[in-house]
Amino acid sequence: MSSPAVHSGPGEHDHESRPLRADARRNRERVLEAASTVFAEEGIEASVAEIARRAGVGVGTLFRHFPTKHDLLLATLEVGFDEIVVAVDEALATDDSWAGLAHVLTVCAEIQARDRGFLDAVGPELFAEPSLQLRNAERMELLTRLVERARADGVVRDDLRAEDLPFLLSALGGATRTCGNTQQAAPTDLWRRYLGIILDGIRPSGATPLPVSAPTLEQLTARCRSASGS
Amino acid sequence: MSSPAVHSGPGEHDHESRPLRADARRNRERVLEAASTVFAEEGIEASVAEIARRAGVGVGTLFRHFPTKHDLLLATLEVGFDEIVVAVDEALATDDSWAGLAHVLTVCAEIQARDRGFLDAVGPELFAEPSLQLRNAERMELLTRLVERARADGVVRDDLRAEDLPFLLSALGGATRTCGNTQQAAPTDLWRRYLGIILDGIRPSGATPLPVSAPTLEQLTARCRSASGS
DNA sequence: ACCTGAACACCGTTCAAGT
DNA sequence: ACCTGAACACCGTTCAAGT
């Protein structure tokens, strides 16, 4: 049972420096909070100026704590990551390996559906991110346990790999984006329909041989590293 | 057998004006060509300045022919749209209704995989676009014939609707984007793996009841119109 | 009628000046 | 140590001036 990591202790160490001053710590918190709500509502293209204004600080302060807009975005994703880790733990604690796998994918999709920033962020960059590299490896191992168990139980097609899950989640993200539950009106849960189709697609019953084999974790991170270094 | 529409006769009528002057027509063509290659390689975030430079014209000329960057992008998508129409015609001409449907989805995915602009463009905006509204309706009717036939033949799950196809294509786009065949290195066709999973997901064999019903065409366009009008 | 490029309003990011 | 906001380099778009 791996518990969600604590990302900001009271001392908040960057690289390897001392704790932040009290006011700095509060400002950092405010920026992070403002960014979370703004990114969740407006997505990646929200302006840092608006976030700074909403946080009641100058833009310089924002960039002091988060050197780049992308860093700030990554920081806002942490709570979603923790939710996913919890979901995986819950899944591994269940006997029903299919229900567990479906639960993980559902939780991921729910986060994407309610947080436009998270939706925009899913993609190769998340694997390219050096700051996430280690934790990604840990998560991948958990996912591998989940998928292996489901395969052993015969509840998923036997050519399914843990490395497929990020891509399937990305696919679901594409559908969710098009479902357009971005803002106003009745926020639809149409994405559940396409999650259902994808889930049926990884079941063993109607499985047809796939034309391409799954990527290895090395290929996954290698591809992304080269993509981010262009 | 509906043949792909001709989008630019020698007379090129905008709104309802006269033919373009000879030099203007050539400039328009150059811009469109430059935009096609640049968007295909770099995606939406390519700059209009670079396109204008590559076309050998001033930015003002570019905006004279295409009032907005988005209009220019839409214009570059036309050849892909025509390809899809051809694919649907081919599919309807075949006896094998499953192969036909799979062929259409494959062609769409191939376009997305080789054209980053097309990949970035798929989404609700394509249905919101007033300029595409009519032709979208026509295409939807063709897709409906395709899906109905496949349902009647029992080769797809019987809760599949034609309106699902754009969303499934969007989903595939999400996976393709994450596959990251954007630039350098061996351009992977990993997306074919996830197309395979989605195809298995719409087969009748392992089909499980879906939690949400398909959107109607009206809902589809209505949602998008409200999204674009914000 | 059409083309051009300087000008404008915006964006993310930096940095000298303040406390 | 930290904060601030004017300044910078970029973007999409406009428009007065040219042919």
Side-chain angles (χ1 to χ4, degrees), chain A residues 157 159 164 170-171 178-179 184 193-194 200 203 205-206 208 212 214 223 226, chain B residues 157 159 164 170-171 178-179 184 193-194 200 203 205-206 208 212 214 223 226:
Chain A
R157 54 193 305 159
D159 52 1
D164 289 321
S170 232
T178 298
C179 289
Q184 70 268 38
R193 181 171 173 86
Y194 303 104
D200 283 348
R203 280 202 173 87
S205 34
T208 278
V212 187
R223 179 198 350 265
S226 73
Chain B
R157 54 194 304 161
D159 51 1
D164 289 322
S170 229
T178 299
C179 290
Q184 70 268 36
R193 182 172 172 87
Y194 304 104
D200 282 349
R203 280 202 172 86
S205 35
T208 279
V212 187
R223 179 202 343 270
S226 74

PDB file of all heavy atoms in Angstrom, chain A residues 157 159 164 170-171 178-179 184 193-194 200 203 205-206 208 212 214 223 226, chain B residues 157 159 164 170-171 178-179 184 193-194 200 203 205-206 208 212 214 223 226:
ATOM      1  N   ARG A 157      -7.274  -8.904 -22.688  1.00  0.00           N
ATOM      2  CA  ARG A 157      -6.601  -9.558 -23.797  1.00  0.00           C
ATOM      3  C   ARG A 157      -5.137  -9.777 -23.436  1.00  0.00           C
ATOM      4  O   ARG A 157      -4.518  -8.953 -22.748  1.00  0.00           O
ATOM      5  CB  ARG A 157      -6.727  -8.721 -25.062  1.00  0.00           C
ATOM      6  CG  ARG A 157      -6.246  -7.288 -24.869  1.00  0.00           C
ATOM      7  CD  ARG A 157      -6.677  -6.401 -26.017  1.00  0.00           C
ATOM      8  NE  ARG A 157      -6.233  -6.938 -27.279  1.00  0.00           N
ATOM      9  CZ  ARG A 157      -6.778  -6.623 -28.451  1.00  0.00           C
ATOM     10  NH1 ARG A 157      -7.774  -5.753 -28.499  1.00  0.00           N
ATOM     11  NH2 ARG A 157      -6.334  -7.148 -29.561  1.00  0.00           N
ATOM     12  N   ASP A 159      -2.438  -9.584 -25.069  1.00  0.00           N
ATOM     13  CA  ASP A 159      -1.383  -8.758 -25.645  1.00  0.00           C
ATOM     14  C   ASP A 159      -1.389  -7.347 -25.060  1.00  0.00           C
ATOM     15  O   ASP A 159      -0.663  -6.473 -25.529  1.00  0.00           O
ATOM     16  CB  ASP A 159      -1.502  -8.714 -27.176  1.00  0.00           C
ATOM     17  CG  ASP A 159      -2.905  -8.324 -27.623  1.00  0.00           C
ATOM     18  OD1 ASP A 159      -3.759  -8.082 -26.749  1.00  0.00           O
ATOM     19  OD2 ASP A 159      -3.142  -8.268 -28.844  1.00  0.00           O
ATOM     20  N   ASP A 164       0.617   0.373 -22.427  1.00  0.00           N
ATOM     21  CA  ASP A 164      -0.490   0.826 -23.264  1.00  0.00           C
ATOM     22  C   ASP A 164      -1.391   1.818 -22.530  1.00  0.00           C
ATOM     23  O   ASP A 164      -2.053   2.647 -23.157  1.00  0.00           O
ATOM     24  CB  ASP A 164      -1.337  -0.376 -23.710  1.00  0.00           C
ATOM     25  CG  ASP A 164      -0.607  -1.243 -24.724  1.00  0.00           C
ATOM     26  OD1 ASP A 164       0.083  -0.671 -25.594  1.00  0.00           O
ATOM     27  OD2 ASP A 164      -0.741  -2.475 -24.653  1.00  0.00           O
ATOM     28  N   SER A 170      -4.581   8.771 -23.083  1.00  0.00           N
ATOM     29  CA  SER A 170      -4.440   9.875 -24.017  1.00  0.00           C
ATOM     30  C   SER A 170      -5.550   9.842 -25.048  1.00  0.00           C
ATOM     31  O   SER A 170      -6.102  10.881 -25.421  1.00  0.00           O
ATOM     32  CB  SER A 170      -3.089   9.759 -24.720  1.00  0.00           C
ATOM     33  OG  SER A 170      -2.392  10.953 -24.637  1.00  0.00           O
ATOM     34  N   ALA A 171      -5.871   8.652 -25.495  1.00  0.00           N
ATOM     35  CA  ALA A 171      -6.963   8.498 -26.451  1.00  0.00           C
ATOM     36  C   ALA A 171      -8.269   8.977 -25.832  1.00  0.00           C
ATOM     37  O   ALA A 171      -9.014   9.758 -26.426  1.00  0.00           O
ATOM     38  CB  ALA A 171      -7.085   7.041 -26.875  1.00  0.00           C
ATOM     39  N   THR A 178     -13.065  16.513 -27.185  1.00  0.00           N
ATOM     40  CA  THR A 178     -14.074  16.743 -28.209  1.00  0.00           C
ATOM     41  C   THR A 178     -15.477  16.736 -27.614  1.00  0.00           C
ATOM     42  O   THR A 178     -16.376  17.397 -28.126  1.00  0.00           O
ATOM     43  CB  THR A 178     -13.959  15.691 -29.325  1.00  0.00           C
ATOM     44  OG1 THR A 178     -12.683  15.823 -29.935  1.00  0.00           O
ATOM     45  CG2 THR A 178     -15.019  15.896 -30.389  1.00  0.00           C
ATOM     46  N   CYS A 179     -15.651  15.992 -26.536  1.00  0.00           N
ATOM     47  CA  CYS A 179     -16.943  16.037 -25.863  1.00  0.00           C
ATOM     48  C   CYS A 179     -17.211  17.451 -25.368  1.00  0.00           C
ATOM     49  O   CYS A 179     -18.347  17.854 -25.176  1.00  0.00           O
ATOM     50  CB  CYS A 179     -16.987  15.052 -24.690  1.00  0.00           C
ATOM     51  SG  CYS A 179     -17.037  13.327 -25.213  1.00  0.00           S
ATOM     52  N   GLN A 184     -19.625  26.138 -19.743  1.00  0.00           N
ATOM     53  CA  GLN A 184     -21.069  26.300 -19.513  1.00  0.00           C
ATOM     54  C   GLN A 184     -21.942  25.056 -19.765  1.00  0.00           C
ATOM     55  O   GLN A 184     -21.451  23.983 -20.057  1.00  0.00           O
ATOM     56  CB  GLN A 184     -21.584  27.436 -20.409  1.00  0.00           C
ATOM     57  CG  GLN A 184     -21.586  27.066 -21.892  1.00  0.00           C
ATOM     58  CD  GLN A 184     -20.317  27.466 -22.596  1.00  0.00           C
ATOM     59  OE1 GLN A 184     -19.242  27.359 -22.035  1.00  0.00           O
ATOM     60  NE2 GLN A 184     -20.457  27.903 -23.811  1.00  0.00           N
ATOM     61  N   ARG A 193     -19.065   7.019 -22.387  1.00  0.00           N
ATOM     62  CA  ARG A 193     -19.428   6.144 -23.504  1.00  0.00           C
ATOM     63  C   ARG A 193     -18.169   5.626 -24.200  1.00  0.00           C
ATOM     64  O   ARG A 193     -18.053   4.440 -24.499  1.00  0.00           O
ATOM     65  CB  ARG A 193     -20.283   6.930 -24.493  1.00  0.00           C
ATOM     66  CG  ARG A 193     -20.750   6.136 -25.689  1.00  0.00           C
ATOM     67  CD  ARG A 193     -21.766   6.952 -26.488  1.00  0.00           C
ATOM     68  NE  ARG A 193     -22.108   6.280 -27.723  1.00  0.00           N
ATOM     69  CZ  ARG A 193     -23.053   5.360 -27.846  1.00  0.00           C
ATOM     70  NH1 ARG A 193     -23.750   5.022 -26.780  1.00  0.00           N
ATOM     71  NH2 ARG A 193     -23.294   4.777 -28.995  1.00  0.00           N
ATOM     72  N   TYR A 194     -17.203   6.486 -24.407  1.00  0.00           N
ATOM     73  CA  TYR A 194     -16.002   6.079 -25.143  1.00  0.00           C
ATOM     74  C   TYR A 194     -15.022   5.347 -24.241  1.00  0.00           C
ATOM     75  O   TYR A 194     -14.265   4.496 -24.699  1.00  0.00           O
ATOM     76  CB  TYR A 194     -15.413   7.303 -25.847  1.00  0.00           C
ATOM     77  CG  TYR A 194     -16.476   7.893 -26.737  1.00  0.00           C
ATOM     78  CD1 TYR A 194     -17.162   9.052 -26.392  1.00  0.00           C
ATOM     79  CD2 TYR A 194     -16.885   7.205 -27.875  1.00  0.00           C
ATOM     80  CE1 TYR A 194     -18.201   9.534 -27.172  1.00  0.00           C
ATOM     81  CE2 TYR A 194     -17.929   7.668 -28.664  1.00  0.00           C
ATOM     82  CZ  TYR A 194     -18.577   8.834 -28.309  1.00  0.00           C
ATOM     83  OH  TYR A 194     -19.627   9.279 -29.073  1.00  0.00           O
ATOM     84  N   ASP A 200     -14.155  -2.217 -23.589  1.00  0.00           N
ATOM     85  CA  ASP A 200     -14.523  -3.411 -24.360  1.00  0.00           C
ATOM     86  C   ASP A 200     -13.396  -3.811 -25.299  1.00  0.00           C
ATOM     87  O   ASP A 200     -13.224  -4.995 -25.602  1.00  0.00           O
ATOM     88  CB  ASP A 200     -15.800  -3.151 -25.167  1.00  0.00           C
ATOM     89  CG  ASP A 200     -17.044  -3.207 -24.281  1.00  0.00           C
ATOM     90  OD1 ASP A 200     -16.908  -3.669 -23.128  1.00  0.00           O
ATOM     91  OD2 ASP A 200     -18.125  -2.791 -24.726  1.00  0.00           O
ATOM     92  N   ARG A 203     -10.868  -6.052 -23.575  1.00  0.00           N
ATOM     93  CA  ARG A 203     -11.363  -7.328 -23.047  1.00  0.00           C
ATOM     94  C   ARG A 203     -10.865  -8.466 -23.922  1.00  0.00           C
ATOM     95  O   ARG A 203     -10.560  -8.275 -25.093  1.00  0.00           O
ATOM     96  CB  ARG A 203     -12.895  -7.326 -23.010  1.00  0.00           C
ATOM     97  CG  ARG A 203     -13.473  -6.593 -21.819  1.00  0.00           C
ATOM     98  CD  ARG A 203     -14.890  -7.088 -21.553  1.00  0.00           C
ATOM     99  NE  ARG A 203     -15.419  -6.526 -20.316  1.00  0.00           N
ATOM    100  CZ  ARG A 203     -16.047  -5.365 -20.221  1.00  0.00           C
ATOM    101  NH1 ARG A 203     -16.204  -4.625 -21.292  1.00  0.00           N
ATOM    102  NH2 ARG A 203     -16.497  -4.939 -19.067  1.00  0.00           N
ATOM    103  N   SER A 205     -12.589 -11.102 -24.981  1.00  0.00           N
ATOM    104  CA  SER A 205     -13.595 -11.765 -25.813  1.00  0.00           C
ATOM    105  C   SER A 205     -13.436 -11.479 -27.307  1.00  0.00           C
ATOM    106  O   SER A 205     -13.198 -12.382 -28.096  1.00  0.00           O
ATOM    107  CB  SER A 205     -14.995 -11.369 -25.346  1.00  0.00           C
ATOM    108  OG  SER A 205     -14.991 -10.041 -24.892  1.00  0.00           O
ATOM    109  N   GLY A 206     -13.542 -10.230 -27.711  1.00  0.00           N
ATOM    110  CA  GLY A 206     -13.526  -9.952 -29.139  1.00  0.00           C
ATOM    111  C   GLY A 206     -12.147  -9.614 -29.679  1.00  0.00           C
ATOM    112  O   GLY A 206     -12.011  -9.070 -30.762  1.00  0.00           O
ATOM    113  N   THR A 208      -8.700  -9.192 -31.379  1.00  0.00           N
ATOM    114  CA  THR A 208      -8.114  -9.523 -32.675  1.00  0.00           C
ATOM    115  C   THR A 208      -6.631  -9.180 -32.597  1.00  0.00           C
ATOM    116  O   THR A 208      -6.261  -8.217 -31.920  1.00  0.00           O
ATOM    117  CB  THR A 208      -8.815  -8.661 -33.754  1.00  0.00           C
ATOM    118  OG1 THR A 208     -10.039  -9.257 -34.117  1.00  0.00           O
ATOM    119  CG2 THR A 208      -7.933  -8.493 -34.961  1.00  0.00           C
ATOM    120  N   VAL A 212       0.817  -3.883 -34.268  1.00  0.00           N
ATOM    121  CA  VAL A 212       2.069  -3.330 -33.750  1.00  0.00           C
ATOM    122  C   VAL A 212       2.197  -3.747 -32.296  1.00  0.00           C
ATOM    123  O   VAL A 212       1.207  -3.761 -31.563  1.00  0.00           O
ATOM    124  CB  VAL A 212       2.093  -1.791 -33.844  1.00  0.00           C
ATOM    125  CG1 VAL A 212       3.454  -1.251 -33.473  1.00  0.00           C
ATOM    126  CG2 VAL A 212       1.696  -1.332 -35.235  1.00  0.00           C
ATOM    127  N   ALA A 214       3.496  -3.442 -28.313  1.00  0.00           N
ATOM    128  CA  ALA A 214       3.505  -2.336 -27.368  1.00  0.00           C
ATOM    129  C   ALA A 214       4.902  -1.757 -27.246  1.00  0.00           C
ATOM    130  O   ALA A 214       5.900  -2.449 -27.454  1.00  0.00           O
ATOM    131  CB  ALA A 214       3.013  -2.813 -26.005  1.00  0.00           C
ATOM    132  N   ARG A 223      11.684   8.233 -26.646  1.00  0.00           N
ATOM    133  CA  ARG A 223      10.982   9.017 -27.646  1.00  0.00           C
ATOM    134  C   ARG A 223      10.666  10.406 -27.124  1.00  0.00           C
ATOM    135  O   ARG A 223      10.876  11.400 -27.769  1.00  0.00           O
ATOM    136  CB  ARG A 223       9.700   8.316 -28.047  1.00  0.00           C
ATOM    137  CG  ARG A 223       8.928   9.100 -29.060  1.00  0.00           C
ATOM    138  CD  ARG A 223       7.479   8.693 -29.185  1.00  0.00           C
ATOM    139  NE  ARG A 223       7.133   7.488 -28.498  1.00  0.00           N
ATOM    140  CZ  ARG A 223       7.100   6.307 -29.063  1.00  0.00           C
ATOM    141  NH1 ARG A 223       7.401   6.206 -30.311  1.00  0.00           N
ATOM    142  NH2 ARG A 223       6.760   5.261 -28.380  1.00  0.00           N
ATOM    143  N   SER A 226      13.706  12.787 -26.793  1.00  0.00           N
ATOM    144  CA  SER A 226      14.140  13.380 -28.056  1.00  0.00           C
ATOM    145  C   SER A 226      13.137  14.416 -28.528  1.00  0.00           C
ATOM    146  O   SER A 226      13.493  15.433 -29.118  1.00  0.00           O
ATOM    147  CB  SER A 226      14.311  12.299 -29.126  1.00  0.00           C
ATOM    148  OG  SER A 226      13.045  11.841 -29.561  1.00  0.00           O
TER     149      SER A 226
ATOM    150  N   ARG B 157     -21.134  -3.615 -32.935  1.00  0.00           N
ATOM    151  CA  ARG B 157     -22.076  -3.638 -31.814  1.00  0.00           C
ATOM    152  C   ARG B 157     -23.308  -2.831 -32.192  1.00  0.00           C
ATOM    153  O   ARG B 157     -23.214  -1.812 -32.891  1.00  0.00           O
ATOM    154  CB  ARG B 157     -21.420  -3.082 -30.561  1.00  0.00           C
ATOM    155  CG  ARG B 157     -20.815  -1.703 -30.757  1.00  0.00           C
ATOM    156  CD  ARG B 157     -19.887  -1.339 -29.617  1.00  0.00           C
ATOM    157  NE  ARG B 157     -20.574  -1.431 -28.354  1.00  0.00           N
ATOM    158  CZ  ARG B 157     -19.970  -1.533 -27.181  1.00  0.00           C
ATOM    159  NH1 ARG B 157     -18.622  -1.558 -27.140  1.00  0.00           N
ATOM    160  NH2 ARG B 157     -20.644  -1.618 -26.080  1.00  0.00           N
ATOM    161  N   ASP B 159     -25.179  -0.838 -30.560  1.00  0.00           N
ATOM    162  CA  ASP B 159     -25.405   0.486 -29.985  1.00  0.00           C
ATOM    163  C   ASP B 159     -24.446   1.520 -30.588  1.00  0.00           C
ATOM    164  O   ASP B 159     -24.394   2.659 -30.136  1.00  0.00           O
ATOM    165  CB  ASP B 159     -25.278   0.453 -28.460  1.00  0.00           C
ATOM    166  CG  ASP B 159     -23.988  -0.196 -28.001  1.00  0.00           C
ATOM    167  OD1 ASP B 159     -23.185  -0.600 -28.878  1.00  0.00           O
ATOM    168  OD2 ASP B 159     -23.782  -0.310 -26.783  1.00  0.00           O
ATOM    169  N   ASP B 164     -20.785   8.546 -33.310  1.00  0.00           N
ATOM    170  CA  ASP B 164     -19.654   8.153 -32.468  1.00  0.00           C
ATOM    171  C   ASP B 164     -18.325   8.277 -33.201  1.00  0.00           C
ATOM    172  O   ASP B 164     -17.278   8.455 -32.575  1.00  0.00           O
ATOM    173  CB  ASP B 164     -19.833   6.703 -32.004  1.00  0.00           C
ATOM    174  CG  ASP B 164     -20.947   6.560 -30.976  1.00  0.00           C
ATOM    175  OD1 ASP B 164     -21.074   7.457 -30.120  1.00  0.00           O
ATOM    176  OD2 ASP B 164     -21.678   5.562 -31.041  1.00  0.00           O
ATOM    177  N   SER B 170     -11.292  11.305 -32.705  1.00  0.00           N
ATOM    178  CA  SER B 170     -10.654  12.229 -31.781  1.00  0.00           C
ATOM    179  C   SER B 170      -9.843  11.464 -30.743  1.00  0.00           C
ATOM    180  O   SER B 170      -8.742  11.872 -30.372  1.00  0.00           O
ATOM    181  CB  SER B 170     -11.735  13.055 -31.090  1.00  0.00           C
ATOM    182  OG  SER B 170     -11.436  14.410 -31.143  1.00  0.00           O
ATOM    183  N   ALA B 171     -10.404  10.377 -30.290  1.00  0.00           N
ATOM    184  CA  ALA B 171      -9.700   9.537 -29.324  1.00  0.00           C
ATOM    185  C   ALA B 171      -8.412   9.014 -29.933  1.00  0.00           C
ATOM    186  O   ALA B 171      -7.334   9.105 -29.330  1.00  0.00           O
ATOM    187  CB  ALA B 171     -10.590   8.380 -28.890  1.00  0.00           C
ATOM    188  N   THR B 178       0.193  11.417 -28.614  1.00  0.00           N
ATOM    189  CA  THR B 178       1.111  10.922 -27.594  1.00  0.00           C
ATOM    190  C   THR B 178       2.143   9.969 -28.185  1.00  0.00           C
ATOM    191  O   THR B 178       3.262   9.863 -27.682  1.00  0.00           O
ATOM    192  CB  THR B 178       0.318  10.234 -26.466  1.00  0.00           C
ATOM    193  OG1 THR B 178      -0.545  11.187 -25.888  1.00  0.00           O
ATOM    194  CG2 THR B 178       1.250   9.693 -25.397  1.00  0.00           C
ATOM    195  N   CYS B 179       1.759   9.286 -29.260  1.00  0.00           N
ATOM    196  CA  CYS B 179       2.750   8.457 -29.937  1.00  0.00           C
ATOM    197  C   CYS B 179       3.884   9.327 -30.453  1.00  0.00           C
ATOM    198  O   CYS B 179       5.004   8.857 -30.647  1.00  0.00           O
ATOM    199  CB  CYS B 179       2.113   7.682 -31.094  1.00  0.00           C
ATOM    200  SG  CYS B 179       1.002   6.380 -30.564  1.00  0.00           S
ATOM    201  N   GLN B 184      11.511  14.142 -36.098  1.00  0.00           N
ATOM    202  CA  GLN B 184      12.696  13.296 -36.328  1.00  0.00           C
ATOM    203  C   GLN B 184      12.514  11.795 -36.030  1.00  0.00           C
ATOM    204  O   GLN B 184      11.443  11.328 -35.731  1.00  0.00           O
ATOM    205  CB  GLN B 184      13.847  13.813 -35.456  1.00  0.00           C
ATOM    206  CG  GLN B 184      13.637  13.562 -33.959  1.00  0.00           C
ATOM    207  CD  GLN B 184      12.945  14.724 -33.272  1.00  0.00           C
ATOM    208  OE1 GLN B 184      12.074  15.360 -33.843  1.00  0.00           O
ATOM    209  NE2 GLN B 184      13.348  14.986 -32.056  1.00  0.00           N
ATOM    210  N   ARG B 193      -1.731   0.299 -33.336  1.00  0.00           N
ATOM    211  CA  ARG B 193      -2.060  -0.579 -32.210  1.00  0.00           C
ATOM    212  C   ARG B 193      -3.344  -0.115 -31.513  1.00  0.00           C
ATOM    213  O   ARG B 193      -4.214  -0.922 -31.186  1.00  0.00           O
ATOM    214  CB  ARG B 193      -0.892  -0.577 -31.225  1.00  0.00           C
ATOM    215  CG  ARG B 193      -1.065  -1.483 -30.029  1.00  0.00           C
ATOM    216  CD  ARG B 193       0.229  -1.546 -29.222  1.00  0.00           C
ATOM    217  NE  ARG B 193       0.030  -2.248 -27.976  1.00  0.00           N
ATOM    218  CZ  ARG B 193       0.128  -3.570 -27.843  1.00  0.00           C
ATOM    219  NH1 ARG B 193       0.431  -4.299 -28.886  1.00  0.00           N
ATOM    220  NH2 ARG B 193      -0.087  -4.136 -26.681  1.00  0.00           N
ATOM    221  N   TYR B 194      -3.469   1.181 -31.313  1.00  0.00           N
ATOM    222  CA  TYR B 194      -4.623   1.685 -30.582  1.00  0.00           C
ATOM    223  C   TYR B 194      -5.849   1.794 -31.474  1.00  0.00           C
ATOM    224  O   TYR B 194      -6.981   1.680 -30.995  1.00  0.00           O
ATOM    225  CB  TYR B 194      -4.248   2.987 -29.883  1.00  0.00           C
ATOM    226  CG  TYR B 194      -3.054   2.716 -28.999  1.00  0.00           C
ATOM    227  CD1 TYR B 194      -1.771   3.121 -29.356  1.00  0.00           C
ATOM    228  CD2 TYR B 194      -3.194   1.919 -27.871  1.00  0.00           C
ATOM    229  CE1 TYR B 194      -0.668   2.778 -28.586  1.00  0.00           C
ATOM    230  CE2 TYR B 194      -2.107   1.566 -27.093  1.00  0.00           C
ATOM    231  CZ  TYR B 194      -0.851   1.993 -27.456  1.00  0.00           C
ATOM    232  OH  TYR B 194       0.228   1.635 -26.701  1.00  0.00           O
ATOM    233  N   ASP B 200     -11.569  -3.256 -32.064  1.00  0.00           N
ATOM    234  CA  ASP B 200     -12.095  -4.376 -31.276  1.00  0.00           C
ATOM    235  C   ASP B 200     -13.207  -3.912 -30.345  1.00  0.00           C
ATOM    236  O   ASP B 200     -14.119  -4.670 -30.023  1.00  0.00           O
ATOM    237  CB  ASP B 200     -10.965  -5.023 -30.466  1.00  0.00           C
ATOM    238  CG  ASP B 200     -10.094  -5.925 -31.351  1.00  0.00           C
ATOM    239  OD1 ASP B 200     -10.494  -6.202 -32.492  1.00  0.00           O
ATOM    240  OD2 ASP B 200      -9.012  -6.351 -30.898  1.00  0.00           O
ATOM    241  N   ARG B 203     -16.575  -3.907 -32.046  1.00  0.00           N
ATOM    242  CA  ARG B 203     -17.072  -5.188 -32.561  1.00  0.00           C
ATOM    243  C   ARG B 203     -18.198  -5.688 -31.674  1.00  0.00           C
ATOM    244  O   ARG B 203     -18.298  -5.304 -30.505  1.00  0.00           O
ATOM    245  CB  ARG B 203     -15.944  -6.222 -32.591  1.00  0.00           C
ATOM    246  CG  ARG B 203     -15.025  -6.074 -33.772  1.00  0.00           C
ATOM    247  CD  ARG B 203     -14.303  -7.393 -34.028  1.00  0.00           C
ATOM    248  NE  ARG B 203     -13.540  -7.357 -35.264  1.00  0.00           N
ATOM    249  CZ  ARG B 203     -12.298  -6.903 -35.368  1.00  0.00           C
ATOM    250  NH1 ARG B 203     -11.681  -6.449 -34.302  1.00  0.00           N
ATOM    251  NH2 ARG B 203     -11.695  -6.899 -36.542  1.00  0.00           N
ATOM    252  N   SER B 205     -18.717  -8.777 -30.576  1.00  0.00           N
ATOM    253  CA  SER B 205     -18.407  -9.938 -29.745  1.00  0.00           C
ATOM    254  C   SER B 205     -18.340  -9.602 -28.255  1.00  0.00           C
ATOM    255  O   SER B 205     -19.122 -10.104 -27.466  1.00  0.00           O
ATOM    256  CB  SER B 205     -17.100 -10.576 -30.213  1.00  0.00           C
ATOM    257  OG  SER B 205     -16.203  -9.601 -30.671  1.00  0.00           O
ATOM    258  N   GLY B 206     -17.402  -8.759 -27.853  1.00  0.00           N
ATOM    259  CA  GLY B 206     -17.224  -8.516 -26.428  1.00  0.00           C
ATOM    260  C   GLY B 206     -18.012  -7.339 -25.904  1.00  0.00           C
ATOM    261  O   GLY B 206     -17.741  -6.833 -24.823  1.00  0.00           O
ATOM    262  N   THR B 208     -20.258  -4.685 -24.219  1.00  0.00           N
ATOM    263  CA  THR B 208     -20.914  -4.535 -22.931  1.00  0.00           C
ATOM    264  C   THR B 208     -21.786  -3.287 -23.020  1.00  0.00           C
ATOM    265  O   THR B 208     -21.425  -2.346 -23.734  1.00  0.00           O
ATOM    266  CB  THR B 208     -19.815  -4.349 -21.853  1.00  0.00           C
ATOM    267  OG1 THR B 208     -19.294  -5.618 -21.499  1.00  0.00           O
ATOM    268  CG2 THR B 208     -20.344  -3.641 -20.634  1.00  0.00           C
ATOM    269  N   VAL B 212     -23.743   5.638 -21.426  1.00  0.00           N
ATOM    270  CA  VAL B 212     -24.306   6.887 -21.957  1.00  0.00           C
ATOM    271  C   VAL B 212     -24.679   6.653 -23.408  1.00  0.00           C
ATOM    272  O   VAL B 212     -23.951   5.981 -24.135  1.00  0.00           O
ATOM    273  CB  VAL B 212     -23.287   8.043 -21.867  1.00  0.00           C
ATOM    274  CG1 VAL B 212     -23.939   9.357 -22.261  1.00  0.00           C
ATOM    275  CG2 VAL B 212     -22.687   8.130 -20.482  1.00  0.00           C
ATOM    276  N   ALA B 214     -25.458   7.710 -27.393  1.00  0.00           N
ATOM    277  CA  ALA B 214     -24.725   8.532 -28.352  1.00  0.00           C
ATOM    278  C   ALA B 214     -25.376   9.908 -28.480  1.00  0.00           C
ATOM    279  O   ALA B 214     -26.577  10.056 -28.252  1.00  0.00           O
ATOM    280  CB  ALA B 214     -24.700   7.831 -29.700  1.00  0.00           C
ATOM    281  N   ARG B 223     -23.702  21.844 -29.187  1.00  0.00           N
ATOM    282  CA  ARG B 223     -22.678  21.959 -28.166  1.00  0.00           C
ATOM    283  C   ARG B 223     -21.507  22.770 -28.689  1.00  0.00           C
ATOM    284  O   ARG B 223     -20.974  23.637 -28.026  1.00  0.00           O
ATOM    285  CB  ARG B 223     -22.207  20.583 -27.735  1.00  0.00           C
ATOM    286  CG  ARG B 223     -21.121  20.635 -26.691  1.00  0.00           C
ATOM    287  CD  ARG B 223     -20.276  19.393 -26.626  1.00  0.00           C
ATOM    288  NE  ARG B 223     -20.877  18.244 -27.274  1.00  0.00           N
ATOM    289  CZ  ARG B 223     -21.666  17.379 -26.676  1.00  0.00           C
ATOM    290  NH1 ARG B 223     -21.917  17.525 -25.417  1.00  0.00           N
ATOM    291  NH2 ARG B 223     -22.154  16.377 -27.336  1.00  0.00           N
ATOM    292  N   SER B 226     -22.136  26.565 -29.078  1.00  0.00           N
ATOM    293  CA  SER B 226     -22.057  27.315 -27.828  1.00  0.00           C
ATOM    294  C   SER B 226     -20.621  27.408 -27.341  1.00  0.00           C
ATOM    295  O   SER B 226     -20.202  28.383 -26.750  1.00  0.00           O
ATOM    296  CB  SER B 226     -22.918  26.637 -26.758  1.00  0.00           C
ATOM    297  OG  SER B 226     -22.290  25.455 -26.306  1.00  0.00           O
TER     298      SER B 226
END
